[in-house]
Amino acid sequence: AQSVTQLDSHVSVSEGTPVLLRCNYSSSYSPSLFWYVQHPNKGLQLLLKYTSAATLVKGINGFEAEFKKSETSFHLTKPSAHMSDAAEYFCVVSNTDKLIFGTGTRLQVFP
Amino acid sequence: GAVVSQHPSWVICKSGTSVKIECRSLDFQATTMFWYRQFPKQSLMLMATSNEGSKATYEQGVEKDKFLINHASLTLSTLTVTSAHPEDSSFYICSGDRDRKETQYFGPGTRLLVL
């Protein structure tokens, strides 16, 4: 069965510093992986999606994630955090037609 | 593109009443719509999957008689919480996909408080 584990429930960074949100997955076959962001009182927004093409996936707002099969990881990064990046981030794996969500990582950005 | 709306955005009701939540795909036809529940500071848990014109498929542990789902068209799905109780208070989120392309587009959610 597919699952994802988000290793940090909270991450705090200063504005302008790099962001790293960690995610490990478990899948019996080549998975489709996603990162979604949830801002307060707003719907989840797709940041990026991996579907067995390029292992480095570029998303919106300067985010990117690298699929590493040997490490079963799909960490989300951004070179320079912005105050508007503060939100809840979910790593998600697709199980045929269903999405399996990780427990989420709350990103705080300090000025 | 790929905008999903939900109505209402929040609702407060008395215990024992029923509440209907609408989910609409505004600029695309959703082959499949999904209903999730999110408790405070927790992840999204899939409740059910519905395809237009057919019965919804409920996840294990979700009472189908309590959470009635109707997917009458490719742009509208409704979730009715029947005889709501305080433990049903939660954040309900819907999503739709296009042409089974795995990517789901999410609504802004409906916050339900049952007194």
Side-chain angles (χ1 to χ4, degrees):
Chain A
Q2 277 91 329
S3 66
V4 288
T5 302
Q6 291 184 245
L7 301 169
D8 307 294
S9 58
H10 289 85
V11 170
S12 297
V13 300
S14 298
E15 190 175 23
T17 63
V19 176
L20 170 63
L21 305 183
R22 299 183 294 167
C23 173
N24 285 105
Y25 70 90
S26 173
S27 178
S28 54
Y29 55 85
S30 184
S32 292
L33 292 160
F34 309 76
W35 276 98
Y36 280 88
V37 60
Q38 185 180 35
H39 287 95
N41 301 316
K42 289 190 176 181
L44 280 85
Q45 182 182 20
L46 178 66
L47 282 177
L48 50 81
K49 173 181 176 180
Y50 167 77
T51 54
S52 74
T55 56
L56 182 62
V57 183
K58 294 189 182 297
I60 62 171
N61 301 335
F63 284 95
E64 62 182 37
E66 186 171 6
F67 174 75
K68 291 187 176 180
K69 187 175 181 179
S70 60
E71 299 176 9
T72 61
S73 69
F74 190 58
H75 301 334
L76 182 70
T77 61
K78 182 173 181 177
S80 176
H82 192 272
M83 295 295 291
S84 61
D85 294 329
E88 188 86 19
Y89 291 80
F90 291 98
C91 181
V92 181
V93 64
S94 174
N95 179 9
T96 57
D97 59 347
K98 299 177 186 178
L99 297 183
I100 310 297
F101 282 76
T103 50
T105 298
R106 180 162 298 277
L107 175 65
Q108 283 186 302
V109 182
F110 294 104
Chain B
V3 179
V4 176
S5 70
Q6 282 185 240
H7 178 81
S9 55
W10 60 271
V11 57
I12 301 173
C13 68
K14 292 182 179 179
S15 186
T17 61
S18 294
V19 174
K20 180 185 282 189
I21 302 170
E22 288 188 351
C23 175
R24 293 181 184 271
S25 56
L26 299 184
D27 53 1
F28 69 101
Q29 292 185 325
T31 312
T32 307
M33 283 186 164
F34 304 83
W35 286 95
Y36 295 84
R37 185 172 180 177
Q38 185 181 28
F39 289 104
K41 300 186 188 298
Q42 294 189 27
S43 190
L44 280 75
M45 299 299 294
L46 179 65
M47 298 175 65
T49 303
S50 73
N51 293 295
E52 182 256 345
S54 59
K55 290 184 178 180
T57 302
Y58 291 80
E59 294 299 300
Q60 193 172 7
V62 178
E63 298 176 58
K64 62 180 181 181
D65 294 330
K66 181 164 188 64
F67 298 100
L68 300 179
I69 291 172
N70 183 277
H71 192 166
S73 76
L74 286 172
T75 59
L76 174 64
S77 177
T78 60
L79 168 68
T80 301
V81 183
T82 61
S83 187
H85 287 92
E87 58 266 29
D88 299 324
S89 299
S90 191
F91 194 49
Y92 292 88
I93 303 172
C94 73
S95 70
D97 73 358
R98 284 188 300 200
D99 304 322
R100 300 188 179 277
K101 290 188 182 298
E102 286 188 309
T103 302
Q104 293 182 22
Y105 300 93
F106 288 81
T110 296
R111 193 164 299 282
L112 170 64
L113 177 61
V114 184
L115 302 177

